Amino acid sequence: YLFLIYIFFKFLFLKGYKKIILNYLILSGIISSFFAILGWMLIQFNINTSLVLVYDYPIKIGQSGRSSAFFETPNSLMLFLIVPLFLSLDKFFQKKKLKNLFSFIFIFLASVLTFSKSFLIILGLIICYFSFKKNILKKFSILFLIILTLIYVLISNFLILKKSSNFYKQLYNK
């Protein structure tokens, strides 16, 4: 099954369909981002949909909710958006068109609204991309990556809960 998919895409890339496939990947990222942002906006008006995972979470913007679009979890959405995010960023630097910048910002916003820990890694990679592409601030970007890595480790290994949340009460039987 996976081998057939590999053969199919290899055939398409060798026949010159690379540009079309990359455009479809960016388009699928924009569509997923639309549903992620739509779901987050709806939860701000207390309209509960399957586009957002809702639970009591201490880090939030507005109403508590993490965008997941039609993916099972917000982390799945974030992992899916990585490829279109970097493809649209690279396309912007190649062609310098406003629509490519808009698609990057749109996908970036949806990535932020997933509130995924992976976003810190993506943010670090974007900073590396800018610093090495424009050949500026390489020492600063390496220091910033180290700080982001430390924050990622801290967030990954500690649980932050409100004492009034139901999950806290379940953990500590209060």
Side-chain angles (χ1 to χ4, degrees), residues 120 123-132 135-151:
L120 291 174
L123 187 62
L125 290 174
I126 290 171
I127 290 168
C128 280
Y129 182 85
F130 277 119
S131 66
F132 290 111
N135 205 12
I136 54 171
L137 303 173
K138 285 186 182 180
K139 291 181 182 178
F140 175 72
S141 65
I142 292 172
L143 175 67
F144 192 69
L145 279 177
I146 292 170
I147 292 170
L148 279 178
T149 304
L150 291 173
I151 292 171

Side-chain angles (χ1 to χ4, degrees), residues 37-123:
I37 293 168
L38 176 67
W40 186 82
M41 289 173 65
L42 288 174
I43 203 65
Q44 300 309 309
F45 297 109
N46 290 324
I47 301 171
N48 201 1
T49 66
S50 62
L51 300 174
V52 176
L53 181 65
V54 178
Y55 57 91
D56 195 15
Y57 194 66
I59 301 171
K60 61 184 177 180
I61 300 173
Q63 295 290 330
S64 182
R66 294 177 63 192
S67 292
S68 59
F70 290 110
F71 288 82
E72 188 172 344
T73 65
N75 291 332
S76 302
L77 174 62
M78 180 65 201
L79 291 175
F80 174 76
L81 291 177
I82 290 171
V83 173
L85 182 74
F86 282 102
L87 286 176
S88 61
L89 179 63
D90 193 53
K91 199 170 184 180
F92 170 70
F93 277 116
Q94 287 178 359
K95 297 186 178 181
K96 305 282 190 217
K97 290 188 178 177
L98 193 58
K99 70 178 183 175
N100 297 327
L101 178 64
F102 174 73
S103 65
F104 170 74
I105 291 171
F106 197 67
I107 297 170
F108 185 80
L109 177 62
S111 301
V112 169
L113 295 177
T114 63
F115 294 102
S116 176
K117 294 179 293 192
S118 303
F119 180 73
L120 291 174
I121 294 171
I122 301 306
L123 187 62

Side-chain angles (χ1 to χ4, degrees), residues 156-172:
S156 298
N157 295 308
F158 293 99
L159 186 61
I160 303 169
L161 294 172
K162 288 182 179 180
K163 287 188 177 183
S164 62
S165 72
N166 292 332
F167 190 61
Y168 180 83
K169 292 174 185 175
Q170 286 176 344
L171 283 177
Y172 294 104

Side-chain angles (χ1 to χ4, degrees), residues 7-18 21:
I7 294 295
F8 177 72
F9 278 104
K10 184 177 179 183
F11 174 77
L12 288 176
F13 272 99
L14 291 176
K15 292 293 183 182
Y17 291 100
K18 179 180 175 183
I21 292 171

